[in-house]
Amino acid sequence: MIKTIKKIGVLTSGGDAPGMNAAIRSVVRTCAYYKVDCVGIYRGYQGMIEGDFKDMGPRSVHNIVNKGGTILKSARSNDFKTEEGRRLAYENLQNENIDALVVIGGDGSFNGALAFNKEFKIPVIGIPGTIDNDIFGTSHTLGFDTALNTVVEAIDKIRDTASSHNRLFLVEVMGRDAGHIALNAGIGAGAEEILIPEEDMGLERLLESLRRSKLSGKSSSIVVIAEGDKIGKSVFELKDYIDLNMQEYDVRVSVLGHMQRGGAPSCFDRVLASRLGVKAVESLLEGKSCFMVGLHNDKIELTPLENAIKGHSRIDRELLRVSEIMSI
């Protein structure tokens, strides 16, 4: 028999991403639509352990669809990794009569949700929120599209300086384990080369490419580098190597850093967050648990949380081919 869900808790966990607030708004208002109570859990799993809860209704989430970050805050919790911490979190949920959870975050957040469900049978649904787009089971994670727009805008401005001074800019973007931001933004901003963790270009091949660019008449170049690329220990070490071997280049480094996580979410991320929030709540009310809601061929579908955690998002080989052609 399916347990009747009367109160749903929602939390954000891990790194923040544009669109998280829009997802919170969607969860809260979908709960109100179906006459289900909703509780916001502040600071992720740590807030669950400390009982940092707040009742939320339709008016408590007004004017947040356009805001970056997360009004529920986010925090990493070492306490939640312990049985004692999870037990305390469960007791707090029981005291608040919370029947189910919507967890907005990445694979680390989903690991926590899955472990919690296995121990205490609390129904959970995950919403993928990370700018890296590195979660299996969805073509787009919340924040990815916004981050791309932020990166492209920044590179466009860097190119103005590169062209004015005949410089080579190495632009490092986020992507410790996946090159989705670098590859897409690199193509969109017209980068001469794109370095990503999935493809080991090698130092000599990079130099050869830069020499070709010089010979073809390019007076300035942009190289976009995912932070997890293995070509060098750091983007600054790569700069030193190019300085040593290609003295005709005036090489500069720009690390975009956490600015990629901030800012108002794009329309795409706002709409996606709204759709994912509705599907998450409706899935819980239908008796489903341990799934992630994601985007497949413009349809919102469910992927088992375990698959989302263990699966690997694959780099688009067609985009790699396009980037190679565009760099000529």
Side-chain angles (χ1 to χ4, degrees):
M1 180 178 176
I2 297 175
K3 179 183 176 181
T4 302
I5 303 293
K6 295 181 179 179
K7 184 181 285 190
I8 292 175
V10 57
L11 63 90
T12 51
S13 176
D16 63 289
M20 281 186 165
N21 279 328
I24 294 167
R25 173 180 179 266
S26 178
V27 169
V28 171
R29 292 194 170 178
T30 305
C31 284
Y33 181 84
Y34 286 106
K35 295 180 172 52
V36 174
D37 292 335
C38 188
V39 173
I41 301 171
Y42 283 81
R43 295 178 295 113
Y45 294 122
Q46 191 62 33
M48 197 190 305
I49 290 171
E50 297 175 10
D52 196 357
F53 303 148
K54 181 180 178 180
D55 292 336
M56 303 186 79
R59 302 288 72 79
S60 65
V61 290
H62 74 290
N63 293 338
I64 69 168
V65 69
N66 61 321
K67 298 190 183 302
T70 163
I71 63 167
L72 292 179
K73 311 296 185 183
S74 184
R76 304 190 189 279
S77 176
N78 289 325
D79 293 336
F80 196 76
K81 296 177 182 178
T82 67
E83 289 185 19
E84 182 182 355
R86 292 191 296 272
R87 167 66 63 179
L88 183 55
Y90 173 71
E91 290 172 356
N92 286 333
L93 293 185
Q94 291 292 97
N95 291 337
E96 288 290 323
N97 297 313
I98 295 173
D99 303 309
L101 292 174
V102 174
V103 176
I104 306 168
D107 54 2
S109 305
F110 295 163
N111 264 315
L114 203 56
F116 195 65
N117 170 267
K118 286 181 178 178
E119 286 179 344
F120 304 108
K121 310 306 178 187
I122 295 284
V124 294
I125 294 288
I127 294 179
T130 167
I131 67 168
D132 290 340
N133 205 44
D134 59 350
I135 295 180
F136 177 82
T138 184
S139 62
H140 290 74
T141 56
L142 290 183
F144 176 57
D145 183 72
T146 304
L148 287 182
N149 291 326
T150 299
V151 171
V152 168
E153 183 179 358
I155 295 175
D156 285 347
K157 293 177 179 179
I158 289 170
R159 186 178 290 282
D160 291 342
T161 295
S163 300
S164 298
H165 297 275
N166 296 339
R167 286 174 177 163
L168 165 63
F169 266 89
L170 306 180
V171 182
E172 183 185 270
V173 301
M174 283 185 167
R176 186 180 57 208
D177 301 310
H180 299 288
I181 292 177
L183 181 56
N184 284 269
I187 293 173
E192 278 67 38
E193 285 297 342
I194 302 167
L195 308 182
I196 58 176
E198 294 87 346
E199 296 285 312
D200 186 1
M201 185 178 192
L203 289 169
E204 291 309 313
R205 188 177 152 204
L206 173 61
L207 292 183
E208 181 184 338
S209 174
L210 292 174
R211 291 190 183 105
R212 279 200 310 269
S213 294
K214 203 72 166 170
L215 290 172
S216 71
K218 292 181 181 180
S219 60
S220 63
S221 291
I222 300 286
V223 177
V224 177
I225 306 168
E227 61 182 326
D229 180 69
K230 306 301 190 295
I231 198 170
K233 291 181 181 177
S234 74
V235 66
F236 297 100
E237 183 184 79
L238 181 58
K239 173 194 181 300
D240 292 340
Y241 185 84
I242 297 172
D243 280 337
L244 184 64
N245 290 276
M246 295 190 70
Q247 296 181 9
E248 63 269 33
Y249 270 117
D250 181 10
V251 187
R252 301 299 171 93
V253 171
S254 183
V255 178
L256 299 188
H258 284 82
M259 67 175 289
Q260 297 161 85
R261 281 190 183 174
S266 65
C267 180
F268 180 91
D269 275 328
R270 298 183 199 191
V271 174
L272 178 61
S274 301
R275 296 175 69 188
L276 294 177
V278 170
K279 184 67 172 179
V281 172
E282 289 181 341
S283 296
L284 286 172
L285 297 181
E286 291 167 1
K288 296 182 175 67
S289 178
C290 294
F291 287 97
M292 181 194 78
V293 290
L295 186 66
H296 286 275
N297 298 319
D298 203 36
K299 295 186 181 301
I300 305 300
E301 297 182 0
L302 299 178
T303 297
L305 269 182
E306 192 168 5
N307 292 355
I309 294 165
K310 293 182 178 179
H312 297 283
S313 63
R314 298 185 183 279
I315 207 75
D316 190 331
R317 309 302 300 185
E318 175 64 13
L319 284 183
L320 285 173
R321 193 175 72 87
V322 169
S323 70
E324 184 177 350
I325 293 171
M326 291 299 101
S327 67
I328 192 169

